[in-house]
Amino acid sequence: MADTVHRILLLDGELSFRGSSLLTLRLARGLERRELDTALICTRLTELDESLLSGVRLHEIPGYNVPIWGRIVLRTLCRDLKEQRPDIIHVQDPRLLSQGLRLSRKLRRPLIVSVSDQSEAGALVIRQATPELKMVISVSESVQQQIPETPFMAQIEKCVILPGVEVPDATLIDAPLDDDRPPVIGMAGPLEVVKGAAFFLRACHRVVDAGHDIRVVIAGSGPEERSLRKLAGSLQLSSRLTFVDGGVAMAGYLEAIDIFCLPSLQQGLGVVMLEAMALGRPVIASGVGGVTSVIEDNINGLIVPPSDSRSLGDRIIELLQDRERARRIAATGQQLVRDRFNENRMLDQMIQVYSDVHDARLATDEPAPIVIRTRHMAAD
């Protein structure tokens, strides 16, 4: 427990049904349980199931990320925070780094930023000395490797903290593919091109063509929803397909599916994939980004090439034809999450970072860059 850290301010953009948002909410809830006074400020909250918001002190403040108006909003926010200043400011969306830096300078508190995917990491370019920024936390080694090593970035400490999810009691969860109903094949996340939902639908069409009676579920919303509905119609999948938005209870949705697919073209790691594995669901995922550091093919999941609907369809069929194998893979994946991606480990490591950064601030009156080094806090 961090004895010297009491208040944490988390800053995020839009909170929606995507892995990075779910991870932020889980972090905020977990820190509160650890008795750290934690406030989460976001610019916008889309429809999310109430269970995801439970136990989170959430404040929706539109506009603080808007260039001119945002300065006024931040000035008001800073005034409100001066009475009870946070010990640490933790930016969850790197696009809000400039806003976080302004608050950090005004409140004279250290700043940390988290990076959840490769595109965010590649865009994290520091062009001037930023002594307020003490740490960049990545969700995987593959994400950290994409951070540009500019001279100013080299002065900032970096670490990897793997996402953590809750693993329920296995005896309380129904096994997948364990009854006579048509199997449910599902995916979840924002409906954006990079998430590969079109390839997922073509893979499901291939499964149906092979003679398998399945149901298909896509959880999430986004700009691609209309084109995906049109594609489903052309593939004659409409009668089998259900779209559910982010308001669905995620645990209930994941328990209702039999096989979880992550067809992303790019992926930092895959928080929703970990949630599915924690619930004992077999996973088929694209071999991109941090996914390959989690999934060992044919052991705790199945790996397919990105944008390859034929391979994805064939691997779905493999599991449908050998249900015992599917359940063995699911059980191994669940144990991996329990051992390596559990929530308590994530919270322990995050609080240790907060404590280290806070203690370093107390050790000097003048802000100074942290000694150059890279820490790897991920479990072996």
Side-chain angles (χ1 to χ4, degrees):
M1 181 67 184
D3 295 330
T4 57
V5 177
H6 303 287
R7 296 189 182 93
I8 306 297
L9 175 63
L10 303 178
L11 297 179
D12 210 340
E14 178 180 312
L15 291 178
S16 60
F17 193 77
R18 63 170 65 236
S20 57
S21 295
L22 301 179
L23 186 60
T24 296
L25 290 167
R26 189 174 288 282
L27 173 62
R29 186 165 49 249
L31 293 174
E32 279 286 326
R33 286 202 308 270
R34 296 290 187 91
E35 299 183 348
L36 272 71
D37 187 1
T38 305
L40 169 57
I41 296 175
C42 70
T43 59
R44 182 168 180 260
L45 176 66
T46 61
E47 188 172 287
L48 284 171
D49 177 61
E50 285 299 320
S51 66
L52 298 174
L53 306 177
S54 176
V56 177
R57 292 175 51 211
L58 178 63
H59 307 274
E60 185 179 3
I61 304 181
Y64 82 78
N65 59 331
V66 178
I68 297 176
W69 174 245
R71 290 178 179 267
I72 300 173
V73 175
L74 284 174
R75 194 177 302 129
T76 302
L77 178 60
C78 183
R79 186 182 63 236
D80 293 343
L81 290 170
K82 277 187 176 179
E83 291 301 317
Q84 291 188 321
R85 302 187 187 204
D87 297 306
I88 300 291
I89 301 172
H90 188 171
V91 172
Q92 301 294 302
D93 183 342
R95 291 172 296 184
L96 300 174
L97 179 58
S98 61
Q99 288 83 357
L101 284 169
R102 289 193 191 101
L103 278 178
S104 176
R105 289 163 185 159
K106 290 285 187 181
L107 297 174
R108 298 181 62 83
R109 291 297 185 265
L111 182 70
I112 294 171
V113 63
S114 283
V115 187
S116 62
D117 65 37
Q118 286 83 1
S119 61
E120 286 184 353
L124 192 62
V125 179
I126 305 297
R127 305 185 189 281
Q128 61 185 17
T130 54
E132 303 85 0
L133 180 56
K134 303 300 185 182
M135 179 75 73
V136 178
I137 300 173
S138 300
V139 298
S140 69
E141 294 280 353
S142 68
V143 169
Q144 181 172 271
Q145 289 167 4
Q146 296 303 311
I147 298 174
E149 277 298 328
T150 61
F152 292 116
M153 178 60 77
Q155 299 175 7
I156 300 167
E157 191 173 358
K158 305 169 192 67
C159 73
V160 173
I161 297 182
L162 298 175
V165 301
E166 183 180 358
V167 182
D169 185 342
T171 62
L172 303 177
I173 304 170
D174 292 333
L177 300 168
D178 200 30
D179 52 34
D180 294 329
R181 64 178 172 82
V184 180
I185 317 299
M187 66 166 287
L191 302 185
E192 302 164 350
V193 172
V194 73
K195 296 303 180 181
F199 298 102
F200 171 70
L201 287 178
R202 291 189 177 94
C204 291
H205 173 68
R206 181 174 178 82
V207 174
V208 172
D209 269 1
H212 296 275
D213 183 17
I214 61 171
R215 297 294 179 266
V216 182
V217 179
I218 297 178
S221 58
E224 286 296 296
E225 182 172 345
R226 184 174 179 180
S227 63
L228 291 172
R229 289 183 181 274
K230 185 175 180 180
L231 175 61
S234 68
L235 295 173
Q236 298 182 330
L237 287 176
S238 296
S239 62
R240 301 175 181 272
L241 174 62
T242 301
F243 282 89
V244 294
D245 61 30
V248 68
M250 185 175 63
Y253 158 74
L254 292 174
E255 284 187 51
I257 71 170
D258 293 288
I259 298 172
F260 181 83
C261 296
L262 184 72
S264 298
L265 311 184
Q266 173 184 298
Q267 191 68 51
L269 195 139
V271 173
V272 182
M273 174 187 74
L274 295 177
E275 298 276 5
M277 294 170 71
L279 288 168
R281 270 43 212 165
V283 166
I284 307 174
S286 299
V288 295
V291 171
T292 55
S293 68
V294 179
I295 301 297
E296 188 175 357
D297 193 36
N298 290 308
I299 304 297
N300 54 27
L302 300 181
I303 291 289
V304 296
S307 69
D308 189 339
S309 54
R310 177 182 293 271
S311 294
L312 179 55
D314 289 346
R315 305 226 75 175
I316 293 172
I317 292 171
E318 283 182 32
L319 296 184
L320 293 177
Q321 291 179 335
D322 190 344
R323 299 189 175 200
E324 283 301 322
R325 175 184 172 223
R327 286 190 281 271
R328 286 196 304 272
I329 287 173
T332 305
Q334 186 181 50
Q335 188 60 49
L336 173 73
V337 173
R338 182 178 289 111
D339 293 342
R340 191 177 177 208
F341 296 96
N342 70 81
E343 183 177 338
N344 284 328
R345 184 269 318 151
M346 177 188 73
L347 291 171
D348 288 343
Q349 293 181 351
M350 197 69 75
I351 291 171
Q352 186 61 57
V353 166
Y354 292 161
S355 181
D356 291 347
V357 167
H358 183 263
D359 291 348
R361 183 187 75 86
L362 294 180
T364 177
D365 293 329
E366 294 297 326
I370 291 179
V371 176
I372 303 170
R373 61 192 177 96
T374 298
R375 293 195 295 179
H376 302 281
M377 301 188 68
D380 292 332

